């Protein structure tokens, strides 16, 4: 899967002949699973039509602050567009636009969006060879990179003027692979191994019955996806869960019981950099598992339970370089109980959910957490989707690394 999958790409097109190649660029982004919105400078529409780009990007194309002819004059909010984007790509970037970007001129929607965007900005210069080597252009290119923008260098070849030299916009395939490589290199968890437990465990009573719990695995699977998107190689040890995950950085190992989860966790822990134990592991299991289905005979039945191994505590005991993160699901005296677990199980962070909070805990799509550090500092978050909660958890972990 491409690192661009699921990314929101804002493509800015300026008025150079290479603009005709942006149809191919949009297609490549879409093919890799990115969401694309296009902003064009008014003059760039002479080189490629907005209709082509809106059809390929499956989104309306933005070009002016508002459309005078439209029935409902809608304001194209440059701040909103800038905040929407995960990355902004300006291709082709003409000498004129590069100069305006350098100097903070914002006399069109593209430039205003560039100025208000907070995301990484890539630009692919395209111009004739003499313009490209002019000291003022060189100065602008240096300055823009100094601002933190990333240049996708122009290549050499035949130019629209008929001259041959440097100034051709990089080919769409090369632009895309340049961005993919750059994003991969900048991922905060690149090269890190992350072990994750998720979902419930089922403890067999007999061949057809078990003791389980209501955990859906949603929180753990959301963490797996977020961590993988940050570049981590994730080993996901999942108890029985209906959740699915498809990511080339995630290896899923399915287990049923606490004992199986314990064995798999210990198999991978030594080589792990980060371990997050989000599974709702059964604390007790039937002492004897009946070999045959238990028949209905008596009015009552007694099943003797014994403790399962505490996976998290056992990893806390052998922890060396690993960052160890646990979860605590509490109903009362929440912070105190969580702090107790943090200390007892030798953790670096603990994620607390309280069943007192509406929308938190098992089988919901939302969660409300407090992250407690081993220095006992606390960060409390509002009710959010489990995907957003996973991002908060991973941010805290990245900060800790
Ligand atoms: N955990 C574990 N193995 C167990 C039980 C729990 O790895 N056998 C982990 C969970 O994945 C979670 C943390 O321990 O990260 C806290 O689990 P919780 O059930 O809240 O705590 P317990 O220590 O079991 O305490 P209690 O049930 O008494 O609150």
């Amino acid at each position: 899967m491409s690192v661009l999958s699921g990314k929101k790409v804002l493509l800015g097109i300026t008025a150079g002949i290479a603009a005709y190649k942006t149809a191919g660029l949009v297609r490549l982004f879409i093919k890799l699973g990115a969401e694309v919105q296009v902003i064009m400078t008014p003059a760039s529409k002479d080189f490629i039509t907005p209709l082509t780009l809106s059809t390929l990007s499956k989104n309306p194309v933005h070009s002016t602050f508002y459309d005078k002819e439209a029935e409902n004059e809608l304001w194209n909010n440059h701040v909103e567009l800038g905040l929407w984007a995960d990355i902004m790509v300006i291709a082709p970037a003409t000498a004129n636009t590069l100069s305006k970007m350098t100097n903070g001129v914002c006399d069109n929607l593209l430039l205003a969006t560039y100025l208000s965007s907070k995301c990484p900005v890539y630009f692919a210069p395209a111009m004739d060879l003499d313009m490209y080597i002019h000291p003022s252009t060189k100065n602008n290119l240096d300055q823009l990179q100094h601002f933190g923008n990333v240049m996708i260098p122009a290549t050499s070849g035949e130019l629209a003027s008929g001259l041959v030299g440097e100034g051709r916009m990089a080919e769409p395939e090369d632009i895309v692979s340049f961005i993919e490589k750059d994003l991969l290199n900048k991922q905060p968890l690149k090269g890190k191994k992350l072990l994750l437990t998720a979902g419930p465990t089922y403890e067999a009573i007999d061949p057809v019955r078990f003791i389980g719990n209501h955990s859906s695995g949603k929180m753990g699977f959301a963490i797996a996806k977020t961590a993988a998107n940050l570049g981590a190689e994730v080993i996901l040890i999942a108890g029985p869960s209906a959740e699915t995950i498809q990511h080339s950085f995630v290896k899923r190992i399915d287990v049923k019981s606490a004992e199986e989860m314990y064995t798999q966790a210990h198999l991978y822990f030594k080589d792990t950099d980060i371990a997050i134990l989000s599974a709702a592991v059964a604390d007790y299991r039937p002492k004897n598992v009946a070999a045959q289905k238990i028949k209905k005979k008596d009015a009552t039945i007694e099943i003797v339970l014994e403790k399962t191994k505490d996976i998290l505590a056992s990893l806390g005991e052998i922890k060396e370089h690993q960052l160890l993160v646990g979860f605590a699901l509490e109903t009362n005296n929440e912070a105190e109980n969580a702090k107790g677990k943090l200390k007892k199980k030798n953790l670096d962070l603990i994620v607390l959910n309280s069943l007192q909070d509406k929308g938190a805990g098992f089988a919901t799509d939302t969660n409300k957490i407090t992250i407690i550090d081993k220095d006992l500092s606390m960060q409390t978050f509002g009710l959010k989707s489990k995907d957003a909660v996973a991002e908060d958890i991973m941010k805290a972990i990245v900060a800790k690394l």
Side-chain angles (χ1 to χ4, degrees), residues 197-199 201 203 258-259 261-262 265 276-284 307-315 325-331 337 341 344-345 347 349-351 353:
T197 66
T201 63
E203 310 302 327
E259 186 63 28
M261 193 174 269
Y262 176 94
I276 308 174
L277 275 70
S278 71
V281 186
D283 288 331
Y284 291 91
K307 260 194 181 161
T308 57
K309 292 174 189 151
D310 190 319
I311 306 166
L312 182 59
S314 69
L315 297 182
V325 182
F327 271 67
L329 179 62
E330 305 292 338
T331 52
N337 285 339
K341 284 177 192 174
K344 197 169 114 208
K345 301 193 187 189
L347 310 181
L349 293 175
I350 195 157
V351 180
N353 330 256

Side-chain angles (χ1 to χ4, degrees), residues 19-228:
Y20 84 90
K21 294 185 181 174
T22 56
L25 188 56
V26 172
R27 281 201 63 195
L28 284 172
F29 282 133
I30 296 280
K31 224 167 120 187
L32 293 174
E35 234 183 286
V36 180
Q37 291 211 63
V38 176
I39 307 182
M40 302 179 78
T41 60
S44 71
K45 294 190 213 164
D46 293 334
F47 294 97
I48 183 162
T49 71
L51 183 62
T52 304
L53 295 161
S54 63
T55 308
L56 292 172
S57 67
K58 305 184 183 87
N59 271 316
V61 167
H62 314 283
S63 159
T64 50
F65 288 99
Y66 65 95
D67 181 358
K68 281 184 192 146
E69 264 124 60
E71 265 178 43
N72 304 312
E73 280 181 23
L74 274 186
W75 170 252
N76 271 322
N77 191 330
H78 57 280
V79 177
E80 235 167 60
L81 280 167
L83 291 179
W84 171 85
D86 293 320
I87 59 168
M88 183 171 187
V89 183
I90 302 176
T94 58
N96 181 42
T97 292
L98 291 172
S99 164
K100 288 180 177 176
M101 284 163 68
T102 309
N103 293 293
V105 176
C106 54
D107 60 358
N108 63 39
L109 182 68
L110 192 156
L111 289 161
T113 309
Y114 160 71
L115 264 191
S116 47
S117 67
K118 288 188 176 168
C119 60
V121 177
Y122 296 86
F123 63 96
M127 64 199 76
D128 213 58
L129 76 169
D130 292 316
M131 296 166 83
Y132 196 58
I133 56 169
H134 194 281
S136 59
T137 306
K138 279 209 155 315
N139 187 42
N140 292 338
L141 296 176
D142 288 347
Q143 194 58 46
L144 285 171
Q145 290 176 89
H146 177 69
F147 291 158
N149 303 302
V150 183
M151 177 162 86
I152 305 171
T155 60
S156 274
E158 193 177 331
L159 301 162
S161 62
L163 298 172
V164 176
E166 212 176 3
R168 274 168 69 113
M169 184 180 84
E171 292 301 322
E173 290 78 9
D174 297 330
I175 292 180
V176 167
S177 62
F178 182 102
I179 295 171
E180 277 183 312
K181 260 191 221 139
D182 191 69
L183 287 176
L184 277 173
N185 277 334
K186 286 178 181 159
Q187 285 180 316
L189 295 181
K190 182 176 180 265
K192 297 267 182 244
K193 293 197 164 70
L194 189 145
L195 173 70
L196 179 67
T197 66
T201 63
Y202 286 179
E203 310 302 327
I205 297 170
D206 68 15
V208 294
R209 303 181 181 93
F210 60 84
I211 295 175
N213 60 63
H214 290 298
S215 167
S216 61
K218 279 182 184 167
M219 192 63 251
F221 277 67
I223 294 172
K225 190 178 78 186
T226 308

